Each structure stands twice: as structure tokens, then as C-alpha cells.
């Protein structure tokens, strides 16, 4: 029997008992459906996060902060060392910048690390509001906004070295502040209210140069270096206090992973932490991976159940067709051809279940993704919750077929071992 004849015979035998084949394939459909949706979910969120990171344009920047005064291993308190311990400041203190701050001495230590370049402190200020006229709304400044690129909806990027005080705001502030549409809002001069260290209300005026899309990475405002410095100066109110910085930024070679690891280790040895943008997003990607992993586990359970169903279906088929097998062998069909025939039948069941499951997942997922994008996730422009890739779909179908072929090995082997005489005598 030629290979083409074997394929035709396997296809015909697969649909010989339509109900049994359909019920067996349904478990594969469930597995393929679930696996397709989970991989699409992971691909969609990962693609969105990747594009958000790329838009920041800060892949060669490390954000360095002082390690917070946490307890040591076992819960024991950490002893104070005047040489290494950083000041612990209340987060409300604008000069402290958080639970632990960097000092000029720490910045000098960072400058001495091989692999780090352009070490610069990040100045911060605690804002009370952003306003235009009588309209005032709470706002916070992203302390690292001056080193990256914003995901702009309208306007232009912040000019890092510009003397002009420049600000970018999330697009949601446009309507709240009564600025019309995003394009018209660009160029507006806004008031930034803050309270200085003496408790007096102060205002700084800045020009709105851009409006950003909503993002998973946060919705804070962005200030260029000139505005950040001005806000910090105004908030200090001329008080002669030691310089304290919430963080520092440094450039590194993003193509040298080994050097980056060594730099992080050396920074940690100095009592500080260094993170890239990808590091800061690690928790988000870990959560997404965990969710997709759990959902994929359900798909694996369905595939295991389907494998047993295929074994049962083909064993019944072998038993029902014992005399047919004996006749084929008596006419000269080899054991290998018989084994191949039943294995191909299992493969066809896998192909049927895989294709139907993938197509159903794409249909349902596309509709669901469109509904989410137009509804609850409408503010996250460019987010495809479920991203279906042709290569992934083909890989899932091949995987399902592989599971089916593996499950069909036992029944095919049993059919191949039948002897013509005993098979023809079978009643």
C-alpha cells in the first residue's frame, strides 16, 4: 500500500464512527482552545509592555537608589554605621526624597565604578497640584522622566538641556483643566503648586509641551531637568541643608550583560540598588507569566484527558476491526504499515481537534479583545489583550497532533502485532 493510499485510508477510517471521533476530539478542542487563549494573553501583554519600554528610550540607563533601612536576615535590626548608613527621612520631607536618600559622597562612589558613566542625581519635589486658573488637580512628578521618552499623544518630548521649564501631563488632565483638545492644550502655561520646607505655599509656572497616553507603567507627569531643579530649589526655600537625592541615574553599555551584572553587584556592595527599566517591570511580567502558566496548566490537564480518550477510541477500533487487520496482513500488508495506519488515524484526530480549537479560540478571543479595548481598557491605547500570532497557532496544532500520535502508539502497536490467522478467526 502506497503512502498516499495509507493517508486516504486513515482519513476515511477516522470519520467511520463520526460520533465517537467527535467526542474524542472535543477534549483536544478544549485543550487547544485554552492553550491558544493563554499564549495570546501572554503575547498581547508582553508586546504592549515591550512597546512601552521601547518608547521610553532609556534602555542604557540604570536608576540607582539607596537601599532602604530594612531588617537583616532573620528579622534582626540593622546596626547604624555613620560611614555607610544613609539618612532615613520621612517621605514627606522633600529634601529626603523617601525612606533613604543618596548623598554627594555616594555619587562620588558611583562615579568610581567601572562600567558606569554620566552619574547624575535626580532631584525631586512633592507637588500639591497642577492648575490652570481656578481648576486644580493633584499631580506627581516622575523623578526619572527627564532621562527617558514619553509615550506621547500630542506635542513634543521634554528637552533635557533646555533652560525653559517644561512639563508633560497625562492626557486625562486636558478635560479636567478645561484645555479643550490635546493638540490645543500643547503650549499652555500651567501652575504647579507646592509647599516649601517652611510651610509656605509656593507656585512655579511651566509650559505644557506634551500629553502622554495612558500606560500600564504609571500616569505621573514629566518634568525636564530645568523644571525639576527649579521645583527642588523653591521647595528648599533657601534652607541650607545637606544635599539629599531620591535617586541617581547612570549610563551603561546595554550590550554587555556580564559587565552590567558586575556593576549591579558592585553597587549593591556599596549599600545601593541599581535597576534597569526592564528590572522595574519584572514584577509585572512575572505576574503575567504566572497567570498564563496557571491557565496553561488547565490546558495540559485537558490534553492528558484527551490522550486517554484517543487510546480508548483506537483500542475499540482495533478490537472492532480485528478481522479487517487480519485480512490486510494476509494480503501482504506489513506490520509497519499497519502501525502507520492506526498512528495516522490518531494524528487525524489530533489535527481535527487542534484546528477546531485554535480557530474557535481566535474567533472568541478576537471578539473579546475588541470588546475589552472598546470598554474597560479603552484608556490603554495600543493594547491588544489577546494577540494571536500565526506561528504560535501552527505550533499549537502541531503540539496537539504530537500528543495524539503519542497516545495512538499503544493501539497501533497492538494492531501491528496481530497475526493473520488469529485475527481472521476473531469473532
Amino acid at each position: 500500500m502506497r503512502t498516499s493510499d495509507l493517508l486516504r485510508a486513515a482519513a476515511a477510517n477516522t470519520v467511520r464512527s463520526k460520533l465517537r471521533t467527535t467526542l474524542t476530539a472535543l477534549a483536544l478542542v478544549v485543550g487547544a482552545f485554552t492553550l491558544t487563549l493563554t499564549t495570546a494573553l501572554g503575547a498581547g501583554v508582553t508586546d504592549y509592555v515591550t512597546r512601552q519600554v521601547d518608547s521610553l528610550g532609556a534602555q542604557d540607563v540604570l536608576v540607582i537608589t539607596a537601599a532602604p533601612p530594612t531588617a537583616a536576615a532573620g528579622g534582626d535590626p540593622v546596626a547604624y554605621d555613620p560611614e555607610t548608613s544613609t539618612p532615613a527621612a520621612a517621605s514627606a520631607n522633600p529634601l529626603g526624597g523617601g525612606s533613604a536618600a543618596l548623598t554627594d559622597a555616594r555619587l562620588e562612589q558611583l562615579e568610581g565604578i567601572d562600567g558606569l558613566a554620566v552619574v547624575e542625581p535626580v532631584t525631586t519635589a512633592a507637588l500639591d497640584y497642577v492648575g490652570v486658573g481656578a481648576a486644580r488637580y493633584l499631580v506627581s512628578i516622575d523623578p526619572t522622566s527627564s532621562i527617558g521618552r514619553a509615550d506621547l499623544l500630542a506635542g513634543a518630548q521634554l528637552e533635557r538641556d533646555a533652560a525653559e521649564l517644561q512639563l508633560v501631563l497625562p492626557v486625562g488632565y486636558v478635560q479636567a483643566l478645561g484645555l479643550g483638545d490635546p493638540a490645543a492644550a500643547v503650549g499652555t502655561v500651567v501652575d504647579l503648586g507646592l509647599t516649601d520646607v517652611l510651610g509656605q505655599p509656593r507656585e512655579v509656572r511651566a509650559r505644557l509641551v506634551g500629553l502622554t497616553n495612558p500606560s500600564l507603567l504609571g500616569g505621573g507627569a514629566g518634568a525636564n531637568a530645568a523644571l525639576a531643579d527649579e521645583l527642588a530649589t523653591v521647595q528648599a526655600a533657601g534652607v541650607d541643608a545637606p544635599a539629599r537625592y531620591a535617586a541617581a541615574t547612570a549610563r551603561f553599555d546595554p550590550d554587555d550583560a556580564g559587565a552590567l551584572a558586575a556593576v549591579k553587584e558592585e553597587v549593591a556592595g556599596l549599600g545601593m540598588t541599581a535597576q534597569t527599566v526592564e528590572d522595574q517591570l519584572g514584577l509585572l511580567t512575572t505576574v503575567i507569566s504566572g497567570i498564563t502558566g496557571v491557565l496553561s496548566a488547565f490546558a495540559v490537564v485537558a490534553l492528558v484527558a484527551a490522550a486517554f480518550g484517543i487510546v480508548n477510541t483506537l483500542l475499540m477500533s482495533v478490537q472492532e476491526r480485528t478481522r479487517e487487520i487480519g485480512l490486510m496482513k494476509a494480503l501482504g500488508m506489513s506490520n509497519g504499515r499497519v502501525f502507520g495506519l492506526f498512528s495516522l488515524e490518531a494524528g487525524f484526530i489530533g489535527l481535527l481537534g487542534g484546528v477546531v480549537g485554535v480557530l474557535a479560540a481566535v474567533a472568541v478571543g478576537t471578539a473579546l479583545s475588541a470588546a475589552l479595548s472598546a470598554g474597560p481598557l479603552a484608556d490603554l491605547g495600543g493594547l491588544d489583550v489577546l494577540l494571536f500570532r500565526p506561528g504560535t497557532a501552527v505550533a499549537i496544532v502541531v503540539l496537539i497532533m504530537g500528543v495524539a500520535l503519542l497516545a495512538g502508539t499503544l493501539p497501533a502497536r497492538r494492531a501491528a502485532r496481530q497475526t493473520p490467522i488469529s485475527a481472521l478467526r476473531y469473532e
Side-chain angles (χ1 to χ4, degrees):
M1 181 179 285
R2 293 175 299 179
T3 302
S4 59
D5 295 331
L6 203 63
L7 289 171
R8 282 194 294 269
N13 292 333
T14 301
V15 297
R16 178 183 294 183
S17 179
K18 295 182 177 61
L19 179 60
R20 187 164 62 195
T21 299
T22 301
L23 293 176
T24 303
L26 277 178
L28 291 173
V29 169
V30 173
F33 180 87
T34 306
L35 198 57
T36 303
L37 286 182
T38 55
T39 53
L41 173 63
V45 176
T46 300
D47 175 75
Y48 180 75
V49 171
T50 300
R51 285 188 284 111
Q52 290 289 308
V53 172
D54 290 342
S55 72
L56 296 178
Q59 285 76 23
D60 63 340
V61 174
L62 277 176
V63 178
I64 302 171
T65 57
T70 55
D76 296 331
V78 179
Y80 174 76
D81 185 340
E83 298 296 327
T84 60
S85 299
T86 57
S91 59
N93 184 352
L95 297 180
S99 61
L102 297 177
T103 62
D104 288 332
R106 285 301 184 92
L107 297 183
E108 291 179 5
Q109 289 179 318
L110 293 174
E111 291 172 350
I113 297 178
D114 292 335
L116 287 185
V118 195
V119 178
E120 296 180 339
V122 175
T123 55
T124 59
L127 293 184
D128 295 333
Y129 62 83
V130 58
V132 175
R136 295 179 177 182
Y137 292 88
L138 297 176
V139 69
S140 62
I141 297 288
D142 179 1
T144 59
S145 57
S146 62
I147 65 173
R149 295 175 56 82
D151 181 17
L152 290 175
L153 174 67
Q157 298 289 344
L158 295 169
E159 297 178 29
R160 177 172 174 76
D161 298 325
E164 180 186 36
L165 307 185
Q166 297 179 345
L167 179 76
V168 296
L169 284 174
V171 67
Y173 282 86
V174 172
Q175 183 176 0
L177 295 174
L179 300 179
D181 61 81
V186 174
T188 303
V189 175
V190 300
D191 299 320
L192 298 175
L194 66 163
T195 303
D196 64 25
V197 294
L198 302 178
Q200 299 300 312
R202 306 287 293 273
E203 277 193 347
V204 173
R205 309 198 79 189
R207 189 170 71 88
L208 184 61
V209 298
L211 295 157
T212 61
N213 287 306
S215 169
L216 287 175
L217 310 184
N224 68 341
L227 177 57
D229 290 341
E230 178 68 14
L231 291 172
T233 300
V234 170
Q235 196 152 54
V239 175
D240 186 14
R244 300 286 184 261
Y245 309 108
T249 62
R251 301 283 174 173
F252 67 96
D253 183 1
D255 298 324
D256 192 343
L260 176 59
V263 165
K264 288 182 178 181
E265 185 175 349
E266 190 168 353
V267 170
L270 295 175
M272 294 174 275
T273 59
Q275 290 185 313
T276 63
V277 174
E278 289 81 1
D279 293 334
Q280 294 172 334
L281 292 172
L283 178 60
L284 176 61
T285 54
T286 299
V287 170
I288 296 301
S289 298
I291 293 174
T292 55
V294 171
L295 295 177
S296 296
F298 288 104
V300 171
V301 171
L303 292 179
V304 171
F308 284 107
I310 292 172
V311 172
N312 179 67
T313 296
L314 291 182
L315 283 176
M316 292 177 62
S317 179
V318 169
Q319 184 175 0
E320 292 172 356
R321 294 157 57 190
T322 299
R323 291 175 62 86
E324 179 184 333
I325 294 170
L327 181 59
M328 288 189 293
K329 286 199 162 189
L331 293 174
M333 194 171 186
S334 65
N335 290 348
R337 289 289 182 176
V338 173
F339 181 89
L341 176 63
F342 282 88
S343 294
L344 285 173
E345 291 180 25
F348 276 118
I349 294 175
L351 177 63
L352 176 64
V355 170
V356 172
V358 168
L359 291 178
V362 171
V364 173
T366 301
L368 179 61
S369 183
L372 290 174
S373 296
L377 303 179
D379 290 338
L380 299 179
L383 171 60
D384 293 320
V385 182
L386 299 169
L387 181 61
F388 298 98
R389 292 192 170 105
T392 303
V394 172
I396 291 174
V397 173
V398 171
L399 173 63
I400 302 299
M401 289 182 64
V403 171
L405 287 170
L406 183 62
T409 300
L410 177 62
R413 184 170 179 269
R414 181 172 179 178
R417 295 178 63 183
Q418 296 278 0
T419 60
I421 295 177
S422 62
L424 289 171
R425 288 178 177 174
Y426 180 79
E427 294 294 339

